[in-house]
Amino acid sequence: MNERKAEKEPVSEKIICYHCGDECVDDSIAAGDKYFCCNGCKTVFEILNSADLCDYYSIEPGSGIKKKTNSYRNYEFLDDPELKEKLIDFSDGNITTVSFYIPQIHCSSCIWALENLNKLNEGVLASRVNFPKKKLFVKYSEAKTSLRKIVEILDAINYEPLLTLEGKDEDKLKEINRKLYFKIGIAGFCFGNIMMLSFPEYLSLGVNSDPEIKTVFSYLNLLLALPVLFYSASDYFISAFKGIKNKIVNIDVPIALGIAVLFLRSLYEITTSTGAGYLDSLAGLVFFLLIGKVFQNKIYHSLSFERNYKSYFPISVTIRKEGGETAIPLEKLKVGDRMIIRNGEIVPADSILIKGEAFIDYSFVTGESDPVKLKNGDVIYAGGRQQGGTIEAESIKEVSQSYLTRLWNDSSFRKKEESRVESLVDFVSKYFTAIVISIAVVTFLYWSSENYLIAFNAFTAVLIVACPCALALSVPFTFGNTLRIFGRNKFYLKSVSVVETLSKITTVVFDKTGTITDNKYPEVEFISSGQIDRAELMPAIKSLVINSSHPLSRTIAGYLSEFKAQNISDFREYPGKGLQARFNGKLFKIGSPEFTGYDAFLTSDSSSNVTVTSGGESLGYFRIKTKYRNKLDEVISRLKSRYKLYLLTGDTEREKRNLEKYFGSGKVLFRQSPFDKLEFIKKLKEGGEVVMMIGDGLNDAGALQKSDAGVSISDNINNFTPACDAILDADSFGSLHKFLEYSVVSRYIVYASFAISFVYNVVGLYFATSGKLEPVIAAILMPLSSITIVLFTTTATTIFAKVKGLL
């Protein structure tokens, strides 16, 4: 029968851990008059105290992070010169600087402790914390300390840095963006000053009475325009040159032509004293075009989308060598090396179990969380996590050739990004440029027979007014604003081209575990056999499960949060089976029915059952039922009206009835391996479908890459995610249908902006060819049309976002 939750037992005065602020089980762990919840917290306190750093606690009491276990990690691999070179930022042989990402940074006390590292290690010359990015920058002396010693100190005080080779390549991208911002700054500076120096010309203030003023200001404007032309606008000329060299007329060709004509016409007027030129329009045009490029290049630098096994595996591996243990960089692991894998560590390469009892959790590979028991001689596939004691395994494949990393070696992963809208821009510009040049030449020839000055003005006016700068801004500003709105709703896209892909989706494929199921809040219920009072049983269970890191143990511990854990003895954990310990003299077992000897009736629904026995008596069991994500009903019903839906899962068919209620009969495929999922996506695409795959975990990597739009859903966007086109925060899952609808509207807004730009060009060409449009007016209209497109696209996308409830 179902047992009601008992009232919380009264407890004595709480003992609070001096380091982390958690409640202590008892007062057995102490240092003087200070009490700690575990030996880890006590160790950190003793380290800080020995260095006279206990002001850490006066800044914010209980500010430390619980150090659940002592570190057994061997940092010997950090002495490797090649690896060290990849990790450090700068070194002259004497002074070295390095930056660490430290997720544990959370308060002012953390900052204070980390910025006083020199008191823990005299070789540290300076340390500085960037709190928003949780980064620590350290400068140290090579003669007095080393990278390894600094990391060991950080680990000892529970600020273990996240060591990974991923992210170092981002420096190149940052350098590119830095140059772009410099170009925008120079263009903006010159644009503002040219406008200021042109005010006498605008208002006719003194230019007629004192022509020398006009001449000086004109040449100053010409001087300011040079860096805009040769530096800020250089990318357009380079792109146009490369395009023509390869016999391709891209959108940058007419833009570069328009900029060149503006400058040359201005140069002519200034040097011949026939006018002031149009350098303000030139600088303004380049300034707006570069702002558009910022949107076009916009990505979320805090996330990494092109991830491979380097970001998932550890940076090093411990191997047995010459009778002892040594740590080496992962990339130096060879076939035949004997690896030492401890509890909770990931197996980085396919290997043969040599020694020890292995319980391998393949949840990242298969989606199933139940550990697999292996015996000596069995193959352990890369990506599995050892749940139990230390094992030894001999590698049989290199890291890059293992089962796990073959997901990235599949040729189908090389997905080429191509936007159909941007292709349309290039297609239009190709013929548009040829037509414009032809019209300009014909216009010049037509008017030259009557008036050479009108012919020259009409020729330059045609080239200026027909510059498709507004067309070039349509895509980046529309899709760029879409990226911004999606980002505010925790939907992070890799690039603007993904928006267009999402707008053309015809089929949506879901993974199950962690995608449509909510891992944070499972439904837990205790079914009692009535053999023992709940108020007596629950503290015993809490005392056992709190000592285990198994997902089900953590779930039960959370369910029993109102109960206080107490002292136990003879605790043992049998990976893949269960736990046992003595509580108040009685032996309790928690785990599978086979392990506990539970002989009562169990439900056979989709739930996971964790049984409890004591002294051979069946006391009850926990029924842990997977909870589907919030708003799943609404999302599926809205998507069904427009898309074909499928569900792929590595699970058995125990939830078939529930899942088919959502997706329909025949739309749910069970026992799907990673390569099965990949093949299914391939078949859909071969059938003409445009596929979006939504999954989480490494087992979905192949399908995510092969799909037209791969979306990785994550409960923590800073955690590992496989290579994908977008990352969806789990809290925003209920808005999935809104994102797809919004993408469709964004594409139509682009098409509308194309139409506006086309009408502008046609009308401008009409007046330019008729000789009624002066070049000065054309030079004003060109940036004005760009501003119109920017205002239209950003306003339209913002209004629709408000309508959809995304703003």
Side-chain angles (χ1 to χ4, degrees):
M1 63 179 180
N2 293 355
E3 188 79 2
R4 291 182 303 172
K5 188 174 287 189
E7 296 293 329
K8 186 175 181 179
E9 289 185 320
V11 296
S12 58
E13 184 179 351
K14 295 181 179 179
I15 302 175
I16 302 302
C17 178
Y18 185 73
H19 175 69
C20 70
D22 282 0
E23 183 180 351
C24 301
V25 175
D26 52 38
D27 59 358
S28 61
I29 304 175
D33 60 346
K34 299 173 178 61
Y35 299 97
F36 303 92
C37 62
C38 63
N39 285 316
C41 288
K42 180 184 176 183
T43 300
V44 176
F45 166 77
E46 290 172 342
I47 293 172
L48 295 175
N49 187 46
S50 64
D52 195 24
L53 288 177
C54 283
D55 287 346
Y56 172 90
Y57 300 104
S58 64
I59 299 173
E60 192 167 340
S63 57
I65 300 172
K66 178 179 291 190
K67 189 173 179 64
K68 296 181 179 180
T69 60
N70 292 324
S71 175
Y72 296 102
R73 188 170 185 184
N74 186 347
Y75 289 103
E76 185 181 352
F77 64 91
L78 291 176
D79 291 331
D80 183 83
E82 294 181 13
L83 180 62
K84 178 183 172 183
E85 184 66 28
K86 295 178 181 179
L87 290 173
I88 64 174
D89 299 325
F90 166 80
S91 179
D92 61 2
N94 298 316
I95 304 298
T96 300
T97 59
V98 63
S99 57
F100 301 108
Y101 173 65
I102 303 180
Q104 299 91 332
I105 297 176
H106 71 290
C107 68
S108 54
S109 293
C110 301
I111 298 174
W112 188 88
L114 292 172
E115 292 190 344
N116 282 274
L117 279 182
N118 59 308
K119 294 184 179 180
L120 294 174
N121 187 319
E122 63 176 8
V124 175
L125 304 177
S127 55
R128 181 174 55 85
V129 173
N130 183 324
F131 184 76
K133 293 185 177 181
K134 299 184 183 297
K135 296 198 75 172
L136 172 66
F137 301 90
V138 180
K139 180 189 294 185
Y140 65 91
S141 169
E142 289 281 0
K144 295 182 178 180
T145 189
S146 65
L147 177 64
R148 174 184 173 182
K149 291 180 180 178
I150 292 173
V151 173
E152 287 174 343
I153 284 291
L154 290 171
D155 185 22
I157 60 174
N158 204 31
Y159 289 104
E160 181 185 0
L162 181 63
L163 298 175
T164 172
L165 298 179
E166 283 291 305
K168 292 297 180 181
D169 294 336
E170 294 178 0
D171 294 340
K172 296 179 180 179
L173 179 61
K174 292 179 180 178
E175 180 65 25
I176 293 173
N177 286 338
R178 191 180 297 116
K179 289 181 180 179
L180 179 58
Y181 290 133
F182 281 150
K183 291 180 178 181
I184 291 175
I186 290 175
F189 172 81
C190 296
F191 176 40
N193 281 279
I194 291 173
M195 292 269 298
M196 184 180 67
L197 294 173
S198 299
F199 266 107
E201 180 70 25
Y202 297 153
L203 305 177
S204 300
L205 299 177
V207 294
N208 294 324
S209 59
D210 194 351
E212 290 184 359
I213 295 178
K214 177 180 179 181
T215 302
V216 171
F217 283 2
S218 295
Y219 276 97
L220 284 175
N221 284 342
L222 184 61
L223 187 64
L224 287 168
L226 291 177
V228 177
L229 178 71
F230 292 107
Y231 180 68
S232 296
S234 59
D235 288 342
Y236 295 101
F237 289 102
I238 293 172
S239 175
F241 173 75
K242 289 181 178 178
I244 294 174
K245 185 179 179 181
N246 292 288
K247 300 179 181 180
I248 299 173
V249 181
N250 55 34
I251 189 67
D252 291 331
V253 172
I255 292 176
L257 182 61
I259 293 173
V261 170
L262 268 177
F263 180 79
L264 293 174
R265 179 61 193 257
S266 300
L267 179 65
Y268 169 78
E269 291 190 4
I270 291 172
T271 53
T272 59
S273 300
T274 56
Y278 321 109
L279 298 175
D280 49 353
S281 295
L282 184 150
L285 172 64
V286 174
F287 179 67
F288 284 116
L289 285 173
L290 291 176
I291 291 178
K293 184 171 285 190
V294 169
F295 277 87
Q296 194 171 23
N297 294 341
K298 185 176 179 62
I299 60 174
Y300 289 81
H301 301 304
S302 61
L303 303 173
S304 178
F305 291 90
E306 293 296 348
R307 299 187 178 189
N308 56 28
Y309 64 90
K310 289 182 181 179
S311 62
Y312 177 58
F313 287 160
I315 197 173
S316 69
V317 60
T318 302
I319 65 171
R320 187 169 297 284
K321 190 175 183 181
E322 298 176 356
E325 297 181 8
T326 184
I328 63 171
L330 182 62
E331 60 189 29
K332 291 190 174 182
L333 180 68
K334 300 176 181 177
V335 174
D337 284 344
R338 182 169 290 194
M339 301 177 291
I340 299 174
I341 311 295
R342 295 185 171 88
N343 180 46
E345 293 184 346
I346 293 173
V347 181
D350 293 353
S351 54
I352 297 290
L353 180 62
I354 301 298
K355 182 180 178 181
E357 192 174 38
F359 291 89
I360 305 297
D361 174 8
Y362 284 119
S363 57
F364 279 104
V365 180
T366 65
E368 293 283 1
S369 60
D370 297 332
V372 178
K373 181 180 179 180
L374 301 176
K375 61 182 183 297
N376 288 349
D378 287 345
V379 175
I380 307 176
Y381 293 103
R385 187 187 299 271
Q386 164 66 353
Q387 300 288 339
T390 301
I391 61 173
E392 293 187 21
E394 184 176 305
S395 61
I396 57 176
K397 291 181 181 178
E398 294 181 359
V399 174
S400 60
Q401 296 177 346
S402 64
Y403 170 79
L404 183 69
T405 54
R406 278 192 302 164
L407 292 173
W408 283 280
N409 295 333
D410 192 291
S411 60
S412 63
F413 283 14
R414 303 184 185 98
K415 178 163 57 176
K416 181 180 179 182
E417 286 186 26
E418 183 177 349
S419 169
R420 297 181 186 179
V421 171
E422 292 177 343
S423 298
L424 177 61
V425 171
D426 290 336
F427 177 78
V428 171
S429 63
K430 176 180 179 180
Y431 296 99
F432 182 79
T433 302
I435 293 172
V436 167
I437 293 176
S438 300
I439 292 175
V441 172
V442 171
T443 300
F444 178 80
L445 294 175
Y446 174 79
W447 286 105
S448 61
S449 60
E450 298 184 17
N451 187 310
Y452 179 78
L453 180 60
I454 294 177
F456 185 65
N457 285 341
F459 175 77
T460 54
V462 168
L463 293 178
I464 293 171
V465 79
C467 177
C469 53
L471 186 69
L473 294 174
S474 299
V475 174
F477 272 92
T478 304
F479 288 166
N481 198 39
T482 300
L483 277 181
R484 180 185 68 84
I485 292 168
F486 282 179
R488 290 187 61 176
N489 288 274
K490 300 181 180 180
F491 185 39
Y492 306 94
L493 272 59
K494 181 178 180 179
S495 65
V496 293
S497 64
V498 180
V499 180
E500 184 191 356
T501 303
L502 292 176
S503 71
K504 298 178 180 295
I505 294 299
T506 61
T507 302
V508 180
V509 180
F510 290 88
D511 173 54
K512 185 183 80 71
T513 306
T515 301
I516 66 170
T517 60
D518 192 336
N519 293 333
K520 287 184 178 179
Y521 310 107
E523 296 179 6
V524 183
E525 182 181 13
F526 182 70
I527 312 299
S528 174
S529 63
Q531 300 294 325
I532 189 171
D533 183 66
R534 179 186 176 93
E536 180 183 352
L537 177 61
M538 293 301 109
I541 297 175
K542 174 70 174 288
S543 302
L544 264 72
V545 297
I546 201 170
N547 288 283
S548 171
S549 60
H550 191 277
L552 293 178
S553 295
R554 292 198 299 267
T555 298
I556 294 173
Y559 173 71
L560 301 176
S561 59
E562 65 179 271
F563 295 95
K564 181 180 178 181
Q566 300 178 29
N567 289 332
I568 57 176
S569 61
D570 299 329
F571 173 83
R572 292 192 66 182
E573 180 171 6
Y574 298 88
K577 297 179 180 179
L579 317 170
Q580 74 175 37
R582 291 191 180 276
F583 179 83
N584 291 338
K586 296 181 180 180
L587 181 64
F588 286 84
K589 288 188 175 183
I590 302 174
S592 65
E594 294 78 13
F595 172 71
T596 62
Y598 194 87
D599 58 3
F601 173 76
L602 296 177
T603 57
S604 57
D605 57 13
S606 60
S607 305
S608 296
N609 297 315
V610 180
T611 60
V612 183
T613 63
S614 177
E617 295 184 6
S618 300
L619 303 180
Y621 65 94
F622 288 91
R623 184 167 61 191
I624 303 174
K625 188 174 183 180
T626 302
K627 182 181 178 182
Y628 293 119
R629 290 201 182 276
N630 189 30
K631 296 185 179 180
L632 177 64
D633 288 332
E634 179 185 353
V635 170
I636 297 299
S637 62
R638 293 290 295 271
L639 293 178
K640 269 187 177 180
S641 61
R642 296 191 57 176
Y643 308 100
K644 298 176 183 177
L645 303 184
Y646 294 93
L647 179 76
L648 308 180
T649 175
D651 287 350
T652 61
E653 299 184 9
R654 62 187 181 184
E655 293 188 60
K656 181 177 181 180
R657 193 186 332 178
N658 290 336
L659 294 172
E660 288 188 344
K661 290 179 183 178
Y662 291 103
F663 295 91
S665 179
K667 300 294 185 179
V668 183
L669 283 74
F670 298 94
R671 304 178 190 275
Q672 296 290 294
S673 70
F675 289 99
D676 290 333
K677 295 179 181 181
L678 178 61
E679 288 301 317
F680 184 79
I681 298 296
K682 284 182 179 179
K683 290 179 180 179
L684 287 176
K685 293 186 67 174
E686 289 170 0
E689 302 291 339
V690 182
V691 183
M692 177 173 76
M693 172 69 188
I694 307 174
D696 92 314
L698 208 56
N699 57 309
D700 300 322
L704 289 171
Q705 278 284 53
K706 182 59 181 175
S707 61
D708 296 283
V711 179
S712 176
I713 187 168
S714 177
D715 290 293
N716 183 351
I717 61 172
N718 291 316
N719 285 347
F720 167 79
T721 53
C724 56
D725 300 297
I727 295 177
L728 174 64
D729 191 285
D731 293 336
S732 298
F733 178 79
S735 299
L736 181 62
H737 58 284
K738 295 181 181 180
F739 296 136
L740 292 177
E741 292 170 2
Y742 190 90
S743 300
V744 175
V745 173
S746 294
R747 179 161 57 92
Y748 285 118
I749 291 174
V750 170
Y751 291 151
S753 64
F754 282 0
I756 294 173
S757 178
F758 181 73
V759 170
Y760 159 81
N761 285 322
V762 170
V763 173
L765 283 172
Y766 169 76
F767 285 103
T769 54
S770 64
K772 299 177 181 179
L773 186 67
E774 290 293 324
V776 64
I777 304 300
I780 293 173
L781 289 177
M782 184 167 57
L784 195 61
S785 68
S786 301
I787 295 174
T788 301
I789 290 298
V790 170
L791 290 176
F792 169 73
T793 55
T794 54
T795 302
T797 51
T798 301
I799 290 175
F800 186 72
K802 289 184 178 294
V803 172
K804 298 300 295 182
L806 297 176
L807 283 180

